[in-house]
Amino acid sequence: MTALSSALLPSPLLAVTGLEQSFGGVMALAGVSFQVAEGLIYAVIGPNGAGKTTLFNALCGFYQPSAGSIRFADQELLGLPPHRIAARGIARTFQNLQLFFNMTVVENVMVGCHLRARTHLLAAALRLPWVQRQEQQLREWAIAALELCELADRAGQPAGSLPYGLMKRVEIARALAAKPRLLLLDEPAAGLNDTETMALRDLIGRIRANGVTVLLVEHHMPLVMGVSDRLLVLDYGSVLAEGAPADIQADPRVVAAYLGGAVNYAV
Amino acid sequence: MRLAGFYLFALGVALLPILFPDNYFVIVVGASAGLHVILAVGLNLLMGYAGQISLGHAAFFGMGAYASAILTTRFGWPSLLALAAGLLATGALAWLFARPILRLRGHYLAMATLGFGVIVHVILVQATQWTGGPDGLSGIPALNLLGWRVDGDEQWYGVIMAAMLLVVWLTLNLVDSQVGRALRAVHGSEFAAQMMGVDTGRAKTQVFVISALFAAFAGSLFAHQQAFVSPDSFNLTVSVELVTMVVLGGLASTFGAVCGAIALTLLQQGLVVFEDYEMLIHGALLMAVMIFMPQGLFVGLSQAARRVRHRLKRRQPLPST
């Protein structure tokens, strides 16, 4: 019966099993396992140093975990370099801004489209007619991503000239331009004011509506509780709890380790 | 228009010998500046756009020059074939070296490329039976372009300027393409570039090879133009001068590199009259630029112009909303 039902269930988009990552003697990830079904907004929370960003960096190939498995769309990601993982359909933003400050906003986002077109070096240098058409196509894709993030009017500006909140949104647009199946957002609300955070919440909703699964690391509890379908709580590199927001808020272990008291985070 | 600056530049290059007919300075120094532009524009792709330093770029310049010199004088190859062979050999060598060298960053990359430049220079001096040693190789035949023997200063001005314009045009196209954006992304944030699917190792290798090819191209032309090559034209000082041109004009700007190359060529010519004080003035000017305009002459001036324009625009009363 169990075998039958599990066979009928669609396999999860992302299945992480027993992931371990150590730096010297510190176990940053001590056997983390969780699954993310396609179409969900899945949040990872935990105190500072719990291993959230380490988890992200392991998922996208920046670290090489010592044990475990990362299966994405039924294929193993462990051991692949970042650009190959990106090609499988994972895009991300960064906790510390990693914008290309030497480019305009739209050029940043056009780099996001990198995998959706292939320009041969020689053809680009000679600017053959089909390269020009491709440039136009890339620009249209980039503008579409900027429109989704309400940034289209900033397209021509140097990326570094934008206010901080908008720079964070350019990163999201750049990641979306890759047409990912899974989007990793690393603390997208950090440094944003309340209005910007509300706009971010709407944006995350729109991203899901576009069929993109979202994995979210965030400290801003009202945002996390308001937007997520499921939560994973990490503490000292291990999974403390996993479940729906209401269950997590009611979990006494989570409250003790992280939330610091019984608070209702409805927004 | 995307290439407006380029057409203006090409027009200027074409008008110079018409405006100053039979002017030795314009023709000869112009040709020299043209070769420097090819070198600087190529190095700027690597340094300015991809953010990878090379302190050994004169080595590729030298390899192109010696390939043409050796193949034409010792083996009697046609000059165009020797040029192609020089490009092929230099490109292949650059490709072989790129992967291990470009794994290094910052000071380590600077030291590795410096070492590479020194090694090539030592080979040019020591492999006497091939290169003629410190005395160099003379008697390099004229460049033969499908029957046209390039001869005389005016013709050389034309050939070098055409080659330079070709290189600048290719570079402008490349920078403003998917390939160029990937390069600039490597410079902006290598990690983010990787996460956007850019194979950063491959991108760096490509630009290293292109940069070396431009230098070798300039080298072949230089060998035929001078009809003589010696190791002194490709030593560490030349590598440093090339870096200076790129930095002087402004990193990550093709016309910045163009301006830097022209400015430094003119400066060297102008300082010849000061003889012993040449290097002193050269150094002082460089320091002044670095202190007062660290983003480079061309980039600094164009930014200043944009600021002034912006301020003028602001003075106008805003339309009421």
Side-chain angles (χ1 to χ4, degrees):
Chain A
M1 185 61 206
T2 349
L4 183 69
S5 59
S6 70
L8 287 173
L9 279 172
S11 60
L13 181 65
L14 178 72
V16 175
T17 325
L19 203 62
E20 285 181 17
Q21 174 81 52
S22 59
F23 300 106
V26 183
M27 280 297 253
L29 297 175
V32 171
S33 303
F34 66 97
Q35 299 193 339
V36 181
E38 186 144 30
L40 289 193
I41 295 177
Y42 193 99
V44 181
I45 63 170
N48 281 323
K52 304 182 298 292
T53 296
T54 307
L55 174 67
F56 265 29
N57 285 343
L59 285 180
C60 71
F62 188 64
Y63 293 148
Q64 296 301 325
S66 46
S69 128
I70 303 167
R71 291 191 73 79
F72 177 73
D74 286 325
Q75 284 180 310
E76 183 60 47
L77 294 186
L78 212 64
L80 293 180
H83 68 269
R84 295 225 179 283
I85 290 178
R88 296 285 173 85
I90 297 183
R92 69 170 287 179
T93 67
F94 301 85
Q95 186 183 344
N96 313 311
L97 278 179
Q98 297 281 337
L99 274 185
F100 309 127
F101 287 108
N102 50 347
M103 294 189 224
T104 63
V105 168
V106 72
E107 284 176 329
N108 264 274
V109 182
M110 283 166 85
V111 176
C113 307
H114 188 79
L115 289 163
R116 295 168 71 184
R118 265 265 159 269
T119 310
H120 190 266
L121 186 104
L122 202 61
L126 296 171
R127 209 168 181 87
L128 299 176
W130 60 266
V131 174
Q132 293 179 38
R133 282 198 297 275
Q134 200 174 46
E135 277 290 292
Q136 195 54 43
Q137 176 69 72
L138 284 171
R139 192 167 287 272
E140 279 166 21
W141 282 335
I143 295 288
L146 283 172
E147 273 166 358
L148 187 68
C149 298
E150 295 171 335
L151 280 167
D153 54 329
R154 304 281 187 159
Q157 292 185 13
S161 71
L162 263 53
Y164 184 76
L166 293 187
M167 288 201 229
K168 296 208 79 152
R169 243 192 295 157
V170 174
E171 275 208 343
I172 297 178
R174 184 178 67 182
L176 284 174
K179 279 255 172 244
R181 283 180 79 181
L182 176 66
L183 174 64
L184 313 183
L185 298 175
D186 198 351
E187 299 200 17
L192 300 192
N193 63 31
D194 288 348
T195 326
E196 289 171 329
T197 307
M198 289 308 289
L200 175 67
R201 192 186 150 172
D202 295 342
L203 175 58
I204 295 174
R206 285 202 299 278
I207 291 169
R208 191 239 306 260
N210 273 272
V212 181
T213 308
V214 178
L215 193 61
L216 171 72
V217 162
E218 188 46 69
H219 280 301
H220 193 284
M221 278 308 128
L223 175 72
V224 170
M225 295 302 174
V227 83
S228 316
D229 301 302
R230 285 189 83 79
L231 270 83
L232 178 77
V233 187
L234 288 182
D235 196 21
Y236 295 109
S238 304
V239 176
L240 193 64
E242 205 264 1
D247 301 337
I248 294 295
Q249 286 180 70
D251 191 319
R253 287 170 307 163
V254 177
V255 173
Y258 184 41
L259 298 176
V263 184
N264 188 7
Y265 280 104
V267 274
Chain B
M1 205 163 66
R2 200 177 65 87
L3 288 175
F6 174 75
Y7 293 127
L8 209 67
F9 178 53
L11 190 71
V13 165
L15 282 180
L16 261 184
I18 299 169
L19 292 175
F20 303 95
D22 301 323
N23 187 321
Y24 165 86
F25 189 82
V26 165
I27 298 300
V28 173
V29 176
S32 167
L35 287 175
H36 284 154
V37 167
I38 296 177
L39 288 161
V41 163
L43 184 58
N44 185 43
L45 271 177
L46 182 68
M47 277 183 60
Y49 287 108
Q52 314 294 315
I53 194 165
S54 169
L55 287 177
H57 220 57
F60 298 120
F61 183 40
M63 282 160 66
Y66 270 91
S68 276
I70 293 172
L71 290 174
T72 52
T73 57
R74 295 190 188 259
F75 297 93
W77 283 32
S79 52
L80 218 49
L81 196 64
L83 186 147
L87 287 179
L88 207 68
T90 310
L93 198 75
W95 185 77
L96 275 176
F97 276 117
R99 285 272 172 172
I101 270 191
L102 293 174
R103 269 172 210 275
L104 306 171
R105 281 158 216 264
H107 302 319
Y108 302 100
L109 180 63
M111 291 310 290
T113 52
L114 185 87
F116 175 71
V118 170
I119 289 169
V120 170
H121 184 249
V122 167
I123 292 173
L124 294 183
V125 173
Q126 296 293 330
T128 316
Q129 71 275 31
W130 292 101
T131 64
D135 297 335
L137 282 173
S138 55
I140 301 166
L143 183 65
N144 191 323
L145 293 175
L146 310 170
W148 173 39
R149 288 182 77 254
V150 182
D151 194 19
D153 292 335
E154 280 86 2
Q155 290 190 9
W156 267 112
Y157 178 89
V159 168
I160 288 177
M161 286 306 169
M164 176 196 76
L165 288 172
L166 175 71
V167 163
V168 171
W169 180 72
L170 291 173
T171 304
L172 287 172
N173 285 343
L174 202 62
V175 165
D176 186 26
S177 76
Q178 199 187 5
V179 181
R181 278 190 303 273
L183 277 183
R184 287 182 281 159
V186 169
H187 191 187
S189 163
E190 191 161 345
F191 184 22
Q194 287 173 345
M195 272 321 295
M196 297 300 120
V198 177
D199 185 344
T200 54
R202 189 181 135 95
K204 286 196 266 183
T205 304
Q206 282 181 340
V207 73
F208 193 69
V209 171
I210 296 169
S211 190
L213 285 176
F214 284 178
F217 184 42
S220 283
L221 294 176
F222 177 75
H224 285 292
Q225 183 212 19
Q226 301 287 317
F228 166 75
V229 288
S230 81
D232 282 351
S233 308
F234 315 106
N235 59 17
L236 176 63
T237 313
V238 176
S239 287
V240 173
E241 274 172 6
L242 293 176
V243 172
T244 309
M245 287 173 192
V246 173
V247 177
L248 188 72
L251 287 164
S253 157
T254 300
F255 281 114
V258 170
C259 290
I262 295 172
L264 206 69
T265 310
L266 291 177
L267 191 66
Q268 283 167 347
Q269 293 297 323
L271 292 181
V272 168
V273 291
F274 294 105
E275 289 181 29
D276 291 346
Y277 297 103
E278 182 190 336
M279 288 310 284
L280 193 87
I281 298 169
H282 192 156
L285 274 169
L286 258 183
M287 281 169 64
V289 168
M290 286 301 99
I291 292 168
F292 298 111
M293 226 177 244
Q295 65 281 64
L297 279 176
F298 179 78
V299 178
L301 288 174
S302 57
Q303 277 173 357
R306 213 172 301 149
R307 267 199 303 276
V308 170
R309 219 181 309 154
H310 195 69
R311 218 168 284 164
L312 288 176
K313 225 188 268 175
R314 260 202 207 152
R315 288 238 180 94
Q316 291 165 0
L318 288 166
S320 54
T321 42

